[in-house]
Amino acid sequence: MLEKLTQIILRYVEVKEEDIKPESRFMEDLGFTSYDFMSMLGEVEDELEVEVNQEEAANIRTVQEAVDYLEKIS
């Protein structure tokens, strides 16, 4: 799941793949805006065929939290 999410993240922000770590924070470390994050979630839903709860997604701060959440709902 981390690898899939990493590939999606790379489409939204200009960071090196090796800079995306489980503890990386979307906004502070990777440079996401709220719009980027919500757009990425939409793509995640399409690619993984899951439905992301917007309220729960609002609490996701790190890549690992996103991976844990996606594994839970997959």
Side-chain angles (χ1 to χ4, degrees):
M1 187 64 73
L2 179 59
E3 181 59 34
K4 282 183 189 176
L5 187 58
T6 297
Q7 293 308 310
I8 295 172
I9 289 169
L10 289 170
R11 296 180 205 149
Y12 286 87
V13 289
E14 293 188 26
V15 295
K16 294 179 183 154
E17 186 170 347
E18 60 267 19
D19 291 338
I20 301 173
K21 299 178 175 26
E23 65 274 11
S24 297
R25 296 169 297 174
F26 285 100
M27 310 292 184
E28 296 88 340
D29 301 326
L30 301 178
F32 270 77
T33 64
S34 315
Y35 179 78
D36 292 332
F37 186 72
M38 297 314 281
S39 298
M40 181 197 71
L41 287 179
E43 186 169 337
V44 165
E45 286 181 321
D46 292 343
E47 281 207 18
L48 303 179
E49 297 181 354
V50 295
E51 189 168 330
V52 173
N53 178 302
Q54 299 301 318
E55 288 180 17
E56 290 181 30
N59 295 319
I60 294 173
R61 301 280 177 254
T62 67
V63 173
Q64 186 62 53
E65 288 174 4
V67 168
D68 292 345
Y69 176 72
L70 292 171
E71 287 176 346
K72 182 179 87 174
I73 65 171
S74 293

